[in-house]
Every structure is written in structure tokens, then in C-alpha cells.
Amino acid sequence: MARITLKNVYKRYDNTEKKLFGKKKAENAFAVKDLSFTCKDHSFIGILGPSGCGKSTTLRMVAGLEKITAGQIFIDQVCINDLLPKDRNIGLAFEDYALYPPLTIYDNLAFNLKAKNMPPAEIKKAIGRVAPLLKVDELLHMKPSALSGGQKQRVNIARAIVRQPALLLLDEPLSHLDGKMRQTLRQEIKRMHREIECTTIIVTHDQIEAMSLSDVIIIMKDGELQQMGSPLEVYDKPVNEFVAGFIGEPPMNLIPSVIAKAESGFFFTFKGSPLRVQLPQRYSALASDAMAVTLGVRPMDVRITDTDTSTPAPVAVYENFGDERRVGVRVGDGLLNITTTEDVFYAPGDTIRLDFNAEKTHLFNPETGIALS
Ligand code: ADP
Ligand code: MG
């Protein structure tokens, strides 16, 4: 059990200097830049971001597998910068389950415990405790080659927790698995965490995984922290366009807009489109006539309606996913995606009327991408 803290952590790989030049070098030299966060004891933290944003580097620095360029990492009050990986009391499970092929699953799980001279009876007890948690108790006599991908990943995670680490680190543990298996194992990881209550960090590029598993999500881009918060916070109150577009499937619409002042208040307008959308009251204090903004709205927060007062817009794309329909509507140069669970059909060129849930719209500075509030 542990609280984990990163203070102004930077990482530059020694070989990056040689690959980059000039301005690019100065901007891109760091794989992780000024990363600071604290995670409470027992919490489940998701580090989320696109490929190459520095997630694995962060995890490897916490594990002690990668030297940090600057900053400090603490477990509870203790700075672990200079501790060897084996002295950090950390359990690790990576995407690649490096199980020893000649050994049985039991011996794979026992391997590190034997190395620590744990008596056989205690090893048996430790394995007996974790095997049912990850449903590997039926597999203990088998060799890795006889296991499916999902089963190997369970063993991999069981091996990480069998030593009762203070901190469990999981790097994309589900990304090799197919859809159904991912969902099953995701639920089991969650249940396992509830039982062992070990502070856990999972790294993933999959927002569904991060949203469903974590108490706290850390969203990274280009080595930098963008936002840290509960899944609901990052979903409902994204601090910038990047987070807004990254969390949520299908993604939030982000449409260039100009605010217009009319007698009845402010409106969003869109270049080359007659569509006008009322600006929510909470934004009126910061709005002004002719102000350029980016309007953010999630596809399910725009309704298709038949009230005549709303503005008609032409359908460009229609997709039927069975459980929901997605309709793409032309708004000026851009495409506004709408999802509906109603059983509707539109052909491209049809005209529909739209009703925006004004309270669910977001406003961003189009130059910086930062949320206005
Ligand atoms: P993620 O896990 O988010 O996909 P990584 O932490 O693996 O990202 O990588 C972050 C950045 O650091 C990338 O630009 C990657 O190319 C670079 N990088 C990762 N590992 C090394 C390494 N061993 N040597 C040099 N550059 C690396
Ligand atoms: Mg990675």
C-alpha cells in the first residue's frame, strides 16, 4: 500500500539529442516534461494519452527501469530516485507477458519468490491467494504454450501481485487481447483491485479502459500532463480541446464558430451556414460580438427535432450501428456528428432540424485550445 508522488519529473533519452536539430530539438527533446502528480494510497490511476506521449516512460521511471533526467519520485514520504528496481517493492505487468516457456504456470508465479528464498510452504500460500483472484488456479500445472492470450495476461498480472507489492504498474495489459476478452479481463482487474487494494497505475491509450478502471485519470500529450481528475471530471469539464476530443466516443465535435450578438442574447454562428445556436447563459459574461471561439459539443448533446424554429441543416453522412445511428450534418466547412438511439433514417441531402443542449456546450479559445469559463 502506498501513495505515489512525482515532483517536476523530466526525462530526456540520451540518444534523442542526436536525432533532433534546432528548434525542434529544444521543443521535443523531452519524452516527459515537468510531470507532477500525487496519487492516494489504494487508488487506481490511469495514465492516458496517444502513442508516444510518454506514458511508458513515466511508468518505467516509477519502476526504476529508466533513469530520470530531473525531478523526484516518492513512495509515501521516501524519495526512491536512487533505489534499485528490486528495492522499490513494485509489481510490474507489461503488454508482453514474458513468461518462462519451460516452466509451469505455478513455477512462473513462484520464480521471484524462490529467488527471495521464500520457504515453499509460504510460496504455496501466496500462489493459493492470488490464483483465484485472476482465475488462474486451473492453469497452474500447465505450460505457457498451452494458454490463450487472455490466460497468459492473467498469469502475468498474477505474477506481478504475488509478492504483495506496494505499487502495481500495468502497461497496456489488455492491448493484445480481442474485444470480448478485454472487457472480461478489465472487469476482473477491477475486482482484483477492490480485493487487494494495492495502489495501481495502468497505462493505456484506450480511453474506455482508463475511464472504466480508474478513480483518477492523468491525460498526457507530448510528454506533458494535460489534465488530472476523476473520469467524470475529465469528461464533463475538459480543460482544453485536446482532452475534449480525446475523451468520449464518438469524440466531441469541435467546430470553429463566431459569436454574434442579437437582441435576444448571444449566438454561435458558423461560416457558410445559416445555423445559429444560442449561447448558454453561463458564458454570456465572457462573450462579445464577433468573438472567434471553438464550440465543443458531444454528439449525443445535439437532438434531431421537428420544431420549425430550429435551423435546418443538410445531412452528409448516415451510419446505422444497430444500437445507435450516427448522422453527420454539414455546418459551413465542417461536419457536425450527432448520435441518436431513435430509429431514424436519412439519406445524404435530406434536411434535418437540430436542437442543441446549450448547457452541455463547451467553449474554447481557438488559438490556445484552452477552455473558457
Ligand atoms: P507511450 O508509452 O506513451 O507510447 P513512450 O513513453 O514509449 O510513449 O515514448 C515517449 C517518447 O520517448 C517517444 O517519442 C519515444 O519515441 C521516445 N522513446 C521511448 N523510449 C525511448 C528510448 N529507449 N530511446 C529513445 N527514445 C525513446
Ligand atoms: Mg507505451
Side-chain angles (χ1 to χ4, degrees):
M1 316 287 158
R3 186 182 68 227
I4 169 95
T5 305
L6 273 70
K7 272 194 187 155
N8 311 103
V9 170
Y10 287 78
K11 173 66 187 179
R12 176 165 50 206
Y13 286 102
D14 294 337
N15 55 355
T16 6
E17 288 273 327
K18 296 177 198 116
K19 285 195 293 191
L20 303 162
F21 304 96
K23 185 155 175 281
K24 204 166 175 194
K25 172 166 152 181
E27 279 176 8
N28 296 349
F30 289 100
V32 170
K33 276 176 242 169
D34 200 15
L35 188 60
S36 299
F37 63 81
T38 291
C39 295
K40 285 194 306 202
D41 195 7
H42 302 323
S43 55
F44 202 127
I45 303 115
I47 301 184
L48 176 67
S51 176
C53 73
K55 305 182 295 294
S56 296
T57 301
T58 303
L59 211 64
R60 292 172 62 81
M61 288 191 290
V62 173
L65 301 174
E66 211 62 78
K67 229 173 102 68
I68 70 177
T69 307
Q72 287 175 301
I73 301 180
F74 297 85
I75 291 185
D76 294 325
Q77 265 74 262
V78 183
C79 177
I80 58 166
N81 282 24
D82 299 324
L83 281 190
L84 291 173
K86 70 175 175 56
D87 298 326
R88 294 189 180 200
N89 196 13
I90 280 172
L92 277 171
F94 292 121
E95 176 179 1
D96 293 310
Y97 15 76
L99 303 177
Y100 302 108
L103 301 186
T104 61
I105 298 310
Y106 185 92
D107 287 333
N108 265 282
L109 294 178
F111 195 84
N112 287 320
L113 305 178
K114 279 186 190 156
K116 287 177 126 188
N117 296 319
M118 191 188 267
E122 273 187 50
I123 294 181
K124 197 168 171 206
K125 226 161 91 187
I127 293 177
R129 190 175 44 83
V130 302
L133 282 180
L134 284 143
K135 300 200 177 147
V136 299
D137 30 358
E138 311 274 285
L139 313 173
L140 294 174
H141 62 283
M142 292 160 84
K143 296 272 178 72
S145 59
L147 268 48
S148 71
Q151 289 171 327
K152 282 185 204 163
Q153 194 52 272
R154 283 166 208 268
V155 175
N156 192 22
I157 298 171
R159 184 176 52 174
I161 62 172
V162 74
R163 283 186 293 169
Q164 296 191 270
L167 188 62
L168 175 64
L169 305 179
L170 306 172
D171 192 343
E172 310 255 8
L174 306 177
S175 50
H176 275 171
L177 309 177
D178 60 43
K180 185 131 177 19
M181 180 51 73
R182 287 174 85 118
Q183 191 190 331
T184 312
L185 195 47
R186 202 169 70 212
Q187 287 166 345
E188 280 168 14
I189 290 175
K190 191 157 185 145
R191 188 176 46 75
M192 170 208 76
H193 178 256
R194 268 203 304 273
E195 295 205 11
I196 65 168
E197 293 195 316
C198 174
T199 310
T200 302
I201 305 183
I202 188 167
V203 151
T204 175
H205 64 277
D206 181 343
Q207 48 127 354
I208 308 251
E209 237 160 79
M211 295 287 279
S212 63
L213 285 170
S214 324
D215 316 315
V216 177
I217 297 186
I218 289 167
I219 298 163
M220 292 180 67
K221 176 184 172 243
D222 299 336
E224 289 180 283
L225 186 146
Q226 304 291 305
Q227 186 168 4
M228 175 169 177
S230 70
L232 266 186
E233 271 162 354
V234 297
Y235 184 85
D236 281 336
K237 298 193 176 98
V239 295
N240 60 28
E241 284 187 30
F242 175 78
V243 174
F246 199 77
I247 301 276
E249 171 52 36
M252 184 186 285
N253 293 288
L254 294 164
I255 307 170
S257 168
V258 174
I259 291 177
K261 191 167 173 21
E263 268 182 26
S264 52
F266 291 105
F267 290 86
F268 294 104
T269 66
F270 309 91
K271 192 169 159 242
S273 165
L275 189 67
R276 287 163 82 80
V277 177
Q278 182 98 40
L279 191 81
Q281 196 63 39
R282 67 195 156 99
Y283 286 130
S284 48
L286 53 86
S288 60
D289 194 33
M291 178 183 178
V293 296
T294 301
L295 163 68
V297 65
R298 296 201 182 276
M300 68 280 268
D301 293 327
V302 184
R303 245 172 19 96
I304 301 168
T305 171
D306 43 19
T307 48
D308 290 344
T309 49
S310 55
T311 322
V315 170
V317 185
Y318 170 87
E319 294 169 296
N320 190 340
F321 289 89
D323 55 344
E324 71 173 26
R325 326 275 175 279
R326 293 191 193 170
V327 186
V329 180
R330 261 261 166 264
V331 174
D333 306 334
L335 197 66
L336 173 78
N337 286 310
I338 302 166
T339 53
T340 174
T341 50
E342 278 173 43
D343 193 11
V344 289
F345 171 79
Y346 301 105
D350 284 358
T351 295
I352 57 173
R353 291 173 183 277
L354 306 176
D355 181 15
F356 281 65
N357 183 347
E359 286 314 311
K360 293 284 180 82
T361 54
H362 301 258
L363 222 59
F364 302 96
N365 178 323
E367 257 133 50
T368 61
I370 293 172
L372 303 170
S373 61

